[in-house]
Amino acid sequence: MSVPLNQEVDSDDCLKEYKYVFQRDLLRGKVAFVTGGGSGIGFRIVEILMRHGCDTAIASRRLDRVQTAAKKLEQATGRKCLAIKADVRNAAEVEQAVDDILRRYGRIDILVNSAAGNFLCDAENLSYNAFKTVIEIDTIGTFNTSKAVYQKYFKKNGGNIINITATLAYRGDALQVHAGSAKAAIDAMTRHLAVEWGPDGVRVNNIAPGPIKGTEGMRRLGGKSPVAEMMYSSIPLKRGGQKCEIAEAVVYLSSDASSYVTGTVHIVDGGSWLTAFNDFSMRKQFLQSKM
Ligand code: HXC
Ligand code: NAP
């Protein structure tokens, strides 16, 4: 039986208690930049990095969201968190964000690309702009931040890029052509960048989560409905994932424990993609029942 070590919290709040898997000071002195760090999986990633000694910067479109998150994170961990308003689709805003982080901390060691957009929609009814929007946030956003951090810091100093992708494209998930295509492109980008930037000491890896409980992503894909429960019971490990299980994979990829690992995709999904239900007409019925 796979039993999670920590008791999760569904909301965007810090864990009440944290049991360490890794050494507490594993990332002491390091600085991480996490896009989409104000909510969901990104928020927990930031918290767990900070609990391992990291100072952080978080960016998203809503300044109030990242400011509130930064306060909670600083209080719970005693580390620093800089809140920045930036839309990852906008290269100028991303460059400004990187300049602000370097001015504040003088370094960046870890970049986590967690910002993304998603919803359920079949391809026929997906507007051209809807497809483009998700590609712009996920794929182009990931390129924008990676390039800005590389040019301004990683090229000279090395560093670690970790992209949060998904398993959607592996079996062509119904109602997910936009997010699946966007994340598959990031998987490809990871390998290209690992090859080009490896000689500068930059490692580039991905984590592909399965269905993670207590997240906006899951609320959009089924929430707490019977369909979600059915989805969880079909997973080989028989449960949905926890945000902190994704965060711990990020700690591994951020640390020297993975010093010879680059260009990879780490699937953290309890085996979900192997057995997940993927019938187009039944998924479409589910979507219609939500409308
Ligand atoms: C169909 C939709 C839609 C929906 C928006 N659109 N929602 N189409 N079904 N539910 C269409 C709009 O009509 C519009 O097209 C186009 O998408 C752009 O919409 P905007 O609202 O103008 O875009 P924007 O304000 O940029 O918002 C982006 C967004 C939004 C993705 C649409 O939902 C968002 O901000 N999401 C961020 C939070 C999020 O999605 N979190 C979950 C991440 S989970 P038209 O043609 O009308 O102009 C995740 C999970 C992956 O990524 C894997 C899970 C297993
Ligand atoms: P979430 O809480 O909605 O996280 C997405 C974040 O991205 C939000 O904080 C949002 O903040 C930010 N964001 C969206 N568009 C942005 C933009 N243009 N520029 C800057 N920031 C932007 O959802 P989540 O479910 O935790 O997902 C987090 C990551 O995990 C995503 O990459 C997702 O694809 C991946 N994932 C999730 C699951 C799951 O089960 N939840 C499964 C597989 C993969 P603002 O609205 O303030 O901009």
Side-chain angles (χ1 to χ4, degrees), residues 262-283:
T262 197
T264 66
V265 178
H266 289 248
I267 302 173
V268 184
D269 78 334
S272 170
W273 81 274
L274 296 166
T275 54
F277 163 78
N278 188 24
D279 181 85
F280 177 45
S281 57
M282 288 182 79
R283 277 215 181 171

Side-chain angles (χ1 to χ4, degrees), residues 248-271:
E248 271 143 11
V250 170
V251 173
Y252 162 70
L253 286 174
S254 303
S255 78
D256 291 340
S258 60
S259 50
Y260 203 47
V261 179
T262 197
T264 66
V265 178
H266 289 248
I267 302 173
V268 184
D269 78 334

